[in-house]
Amino acid sequence: MGGAASAASSTQSILLPQARFATGDNAAWREPNFDDSGWKLLSTTQYYEAQGFEGYDGYSWYRIHVVIPSALRESSDWRKRLRVYLSAIDDSDESYLNGVLIGKTGRMPSDPGGYEGRWDVVRDYQVDLPNDSIRWDADNVIAVRVYDGGGGGGFYRDTPHLSIPQRADGLQFDQAQASHRLLANGKIQSVLSVRNSYPVAQRGRLEIEVRDQLKNRVLMTRKQSIRLAPQTSQTLRWTLPSGPGIQARLRYLDAGSGHAATAIHQLPYRLTPPDGPKPALHGARLLGSRPGTPLHYRIAATGRAPLRFSAQGLPRGLKLDGKTGVISGITPKEGRYIVKLGVRNALGSAKREWTLVAGAQLALTPPMGWNSWYAHGLAVSDSLVRKAAQVFIDKGLAAKGWSRINIDDGWESEQRAADGQISGNQRFPDMLALGQSLHAQGLGFGIYSSPGATTCGGYLGSLGHEFNDAATYGRWGVDFLKYDLCSYAQTLSKPPTLDEQQQPYRLMNQALRLEPRSIIFSLCQYGEEKVWNWGPSVGGQLWRMTGDIDDSWSSVLQNGFAMAPYTGVVAPGRWNDPDMLMVGTLGLGGAPHPSRLTPDEQYSQVSLWSLMAAPLLISNDMRSLDEFTLGLLTNHDVIAINQDALGKGAQRVLDRDGWQVWVKELEGGSMAVGIFNLGESLRSTQIESSLFARPGQFEAFDAWRQKKLGLKSKNIDVTLPAHGVALLLVK
Ligand code: GLA
């Protein structure tokens, strides 16, 4: 869990916000003396697609010109390295300084082993000093050869920069190793790893100061000495106060030079109150299913065990397991069936109406579930998927309406059988049994493929086998298909026509519709050709709006906040998918790490996705689901905003000085209001209530804290930490 902990220091750096750019590939373009003056100048913090190269996949080059002053070298007490930080590049790169290779991430199609995209990895290249290829006080060229396999391409995250590190910069507050455990007394136990990443010993002092930004008070300070041999690390443990706006500032002071490296950890805090022992019902109030198809549904409820369930008015063909709350059977003929769901325990009972809408429409509320991708990448397995389902039940996610378990890329066999049939690979020995076990728990079973010959991960896609694959999914009991463009992009003309873009989705939809199942169709082609305008016409219920998200704030801005113009198209069965929630332990099957979003950024992401009525898809490693993340995901008042039956996407009604207000109309006339501080520090403001309430008095409720704020009539005052949110319900 969060805590942006990138070390900062007194080291000077040169920002590289722009580069010359050309599509194509030519070995001469790495040379410093090549004349690139005719190339277009692009920003290095945004995909080239967004800067005039819409839809381009394949090779391209960036050339960054930079004068490296010798004074930069003189300002360092170490002078052993030039750091060339190139941020993240989509998808693979080879980077040269004045014609000499300084780093490479991922693989090019012509490399041994073939193409491998590593869009998610930060390129932090280091050049040993002294180095003859550097031209001090003169023009240098960093030339970056890029291959984009599909979707967004090129530089896209934070600003690349150059520096000559100090010795103290070798000391890093290792984000991947940090962990925070919320204690019952409201404090947190923090374990932090301090690592010396340089080949030189570190000796100095570490100071930690815990500060409450809201009250502007120092809550705790501590000092300790640090001695670290080259390439070693030390673990530090502290019990710290927790709450909104509380941060730990870490400062390492090098004993020799007095240079400092600093980092700020935003500490996690839980807002969601614990569930009470009395029975309560949660989750969406309606479900769409096609007549005559199998149905699996788990009633979402909390309360002290044992719970007993009832369902009055359940149509014939469906039955309820009174102990587990799982409803199963065959969807009745077309119609709206109003069922009175009930739950009771020793302390009382709760009832509420639930409507089964038997008809053509699926996903009447945004799908909520888990997807394997960001946790396990291509290493996903049957046992990891079963584990995720188990955690859904054991940790109370299913009790709040989390109901789908979706396998992403990496399940497919290496080859098809002689008759063309696909099967699971050795990590998925029995897909039918896996689906059955999910259904027995009242959970949905999701799968992934591509209309291309291969998927983005290089596995088998469905090209030429669409009907065969749909039939296989039908046999396995699949309820959800994510269909990811990937290699199909290479078969399209450049630029592709709208019809060409739609065709593979139309085809797979036809195949899916032959199956006697209610299969939700999730389109993944990164938002190309304004898919939100035609997604329903090719059978989709949800469609990705953008390229892949990652656990950085800029990605949340790009995938989430930038979607404001398109929320008007959202309606039941028509959902804009800004990609998954970046919460919990992530790692794409490689090095697991807590989400790099700060706790406030995570509250903001969950709030914004709820307001936009986005599909709520988590993708964390469920084996290490922590208390903070659980709090983020089990707040039934927040989830109810997302699952509201009206199915509206919030409108952004204010965007001023780094403040944004998003308002979502809810069934019954109330409004959900998100107030976001997009600024870089804790700030206060006053929001005009006319943006979301009728004149006169209105009742306000804090959704995260589940607390009444009372009757209000005036404007609303908020103080929010950097990138933080207030999520209100207004009646
Ligand atoms: C693409 C998609 C991701 C994921 C991977 C799997 O990048 O956008 O969501 O499905 O492919 O390879």
Side-chain angles (χ1 to χ4, degrees), residues 15-20 41-44 62-65 159-160:
L15 295 178
L16 310 169
Q18 288 188 319
R20 300 242 167 232
L41 203 56
L42 297 194
S43 152
T44 50
Y62 287 86
R63 289 173 55 88
I64 304 174
H65 290 261
T159 314

Side-chain angles (χ1 to χ4, degrees), residues 87-89 91 93 105 118-124 156-157:
S87 182
I89 298 174
D91 289 292
D93 76 292
T105 306
R118 293 311 308 270
W119 52 270
D120 54 311
V121 173
V122 161
R123 278 69 168 170
D124 196 352
Y156 69 92
R157 210 187 274 173

Side-chain angles (χ1 to χ4, degrees), residues 373 408-409 448 456-457 482 484 486 524 526 544 548 579-580:
W373 182 245
D408 206 278
D409 205 355
Y448 165 98
C456 294
K482 170 174 168 183
D484 191 356
C486 302
C524 179
Y526 334 114
R544 278 271 299 276
D548 292 10
D579 212 358
M580 299 178 233

Side-chain angles (χ1 to χ4, degrees), residues 3 5 173-179 191 193 195 265 585 591-594 596:
F173 305 104
D174 196 344
Q175 167 82 9
Q177 300 299 323
S179 76
V191 181
S193 168
R195 192 162 56 88
H265 271 228
T585 305
H593 64 268
R596 296 186 180 96

